Amino acid sequence: MRKLKTIEMNRLSVEEFKEAPKLPLIVVLDDVRSLYNVGSVFRTCDAFRVEAVYLCGITATPPHPEIHKTALGGEDSVSWRYFPTALEAVGELRRNGWLVFSVEQVEGSTKLQQLQLSDGAEARPEKGYAVVLGNEVKGVHQEVVDASNGCLEIPQFGTKHSMNVSVTAGIVIWEFARQLLLK
């Protein structure tokens, strides 16, 4: 096997990305403190052509060298907005027809592998889906969990009860892309 050269991958330009159809998913970052995590989420959102990233609370916004270090330009291609709180972002999303899931360990959460986006209660909403990812220590704020349509949980089998927010974003975004784009 031979590794492909960048030119052979037929990557979109930033302009082509902005015009291309998007995965109907918005990623909401609720008080994510690490700029490297923010950048990594932008890079993953670019890879799956996510609709937008909403940056909330203490979450830093581009342009910033530490975000760029891990985003590698994803902050230029993926649309983003800032909200003073994730609760405000979730309220706007729900009012505008988006189905919102917080990614959090809660009573009655839906295990990610059980999420069905094609039928049932999680059937495609008017606009699309949003996932809320929380602070590296405290997770998603309880009032944001309460305002969400539901919660998703990634099963874990080790001694830790959490994963890095950018790793969680990659797993969750992949599942939405798998169900919505790769049928």
Side-chain angles (χ1 to χ4, degrees):
M1 289 185 268
R2 177 184 65 81
K3 286 176 57 174
L4 294 176
K5 295 180 174 139
T6 303
I7 192 84
E8 295 174 292
M9 294 181 202
N10 297 315
R11 298 289 186 208
L12 299 176
S13 68
V14 171
E15 295 76 26
E16 291 168 329
F17 181 98
K18 290 185 181 289
E19 296 298 319
K22 305 293 186 291
L23 177 66
L25 179 67
I26 292 177
V27 175
V28 179
L29 299 183
D30 181 9
D31 280 343
V32 172
R33 64 185 182 179
S34 166
L35 281 72
Y36 297 125
N37 282 336
V38 174
S40 187
V41 169
F42 267 106
R43 189 170 171 185
T44 300
C45 288
D46 175 276
F48 292 103
R49 243 188 282 148
V50 167
E51 183 76 28
V53 176
Y54 286 4
L55 307 166
C56 306
I58 67 167
T59 308
T61 61
H64 197 286
E66 289 180 34
I67 291 174
H68 181 74
K69 184 172 184 172
T70 50
L72 296 177
E75 75 277 28
D76 299 324
S77 55
V78 178
S79 296
W80 62 271
R81 286 182 60 192
Y82 175 79
F83 289 82
T85 69
L87 189 59
E88 293 172 65
V90 168
E92 181 177 303
L93 285 162
R94 292 202 56 195
R95 283 190 302 278
N96 290 328
W98 295 80
L99 189 64
V100 179
F101 294 102
S102 285
V103 181
E104 191 58 81
Q105 297 164 333
V106 301
E107 296 172 344
S109 63
T110 299
K111 303 296 188 226
L112 189 60
Q113 74 274 15
Q114 295 169 336
L115 179 66
Q116 298 290 321
L117 298 178
S118 59
D119 58 9
E122 291 108 13
R124 175 122 186 212
E126 179 184 335
K127 296 285 185 170
Y129 302 93
V131 292
V132 182
L133 301 164
N135 176 274
E136 292 89 342
V137 175
K138 297 180 181 181
V140 178
H141 286 93
Q142 182 63 53
E143 64 268 15
V144 175
V145 168
D146 295 340
S148 299
N149 295 97
C151 287
L152 300 176
E153 182 177 340
I154 300 170
Q156 299 169 53
F157 308 101
T159 62
K160 304 298 174 206
H161 298 287
S162 67
M163 291 185 280
N164 179 279
V165 66
S166 67
V167 171
T168 298
I171 293 168
V172 171
I173 293 167
W174 162 251
E175 183 59 23
F176 278 81
R178 187 186 70 78
Q179 289 194 39
L180 298 172
L181 295 179
L182 302 175
K183 292 185 174 195

